[in-house]
Amino acid sequence: MSPPVFLAGTDALERDRVLLDGPEGRHAAAVRRLRQGERVDLTDGEGLLAECVVTAADRASLTLDVLARHREPPPAPRLVVVQALPKGDRGELAVETMTEVGVDEIVPWSASRCVTRWRPERRDKALGRWRATAREAGKQARRSRLPEVAELESTEDVAGRIAGASLALVLHEEAEAPLSAVRPPARGDIVLVVGPEGGISEDEMERFGAAGGCPARLGPTVLRTSTAGVAAASVLLAATGRW
């Protein structure tokens, strides 16, 4: 059985002995009930992972000795998924599954046909849920480099990302080119745009096309926006050799 993963600061992981306290320490000690002699992995979420063993435990913290350290290099190419806001809790579902498969950045997008809107007074709370979901899913998936969850972006913001990408793909059910035929670049950002349940508008497609986005068809069926991203990411991660 693989050891559990918890988050700790980079400075702490550079030491030979680590005190894991705060929310992560309380969860490890009080919920997981980890005790002396058990193996634990700690990561800073930025590529550094420390293999540790528990040397002492109390009700709210663990003391651990570092056995070995590993540094995961930055991914190449980097996969960025622009996710139109789904309805209800399907946003967290999309974030969770995309984190599990290995997406490097998730960008919430307020598309014109989104039913859900992050009003200014609710935006921080909604974004916080996405980021918390990515953090917990990353730990569960044993990722030493957690995905970034960006601020909410407009269509103009997304067009700017597309313009700066090494490859930009826009999922669309009427596209002629299948996603499986795409030959991804070896470096830079691959930006994948996933539209809302109502589809990407003609105006948005024109903006993205002008910025360099290429329409691509995922398959013969139409997936929900909350599952299209993880399916498309899987295809691209396999094509890049990261899977």
Side-chain angles (χ1 to χ4, degrees), residues 122-204:
R122 298 175 57 190
R123 185 174 301 174
D124 289 346
K125 185 176 181 179
L127 184 60
R129 287 198 301 268
W130 279 37
R131 287 174 171 167
T133 298
R135 183 173 61 250
E136 294 307 312
K139 289 159 56 178
Q140 182 67 34
R142 302 186 53 76
R143 289 185 60 166
S144 59
R145 189 176 292 276
L146 300 183
E148 177 184 351
V149 178
E151 296 285 337
L152 179 67
E153 295 197 356
S154 66
T155 296
E156 202 60 40
D157 295 328
V158 174
R161 281 185 178 269
I162 289 172
S166 296
L167 173 67
L169 302 164
V170 183
L171 294 183
H172 198 279
E173 67 272 16
E174 296 180 1
E176 295 183 2
L179 187 63
S180 58
V182 170
R183 295 295 175 262
R187 292 176 296 277
D189 280 4
I190 299 174
V191 173
L192 175 71
V193 180
V194 181
E197 299 289 0
I200 299 175
S201 71
E202 291 183 7
D203 179 65
E204 289 164 340

Side-chain angles (χ1 to χ4, degrees), residues 214-233:
C214 302
R217 186 182 71 254
L218 185 54
T221 60
V222 177
L223 278 68
R224 300 195 70 156
T225 185
S226 54
T227 52
V230 67

Side-chain angles (χ1 to χ4, degrees), residues 64-79:
L64 309 102
D65 282 352
V66 175
L67 306 175
R69 295 182 185 86
H70 307 279
R71 295 184 186 273
E72 178 187 346
R78 187 169 171 268
L79 181 56

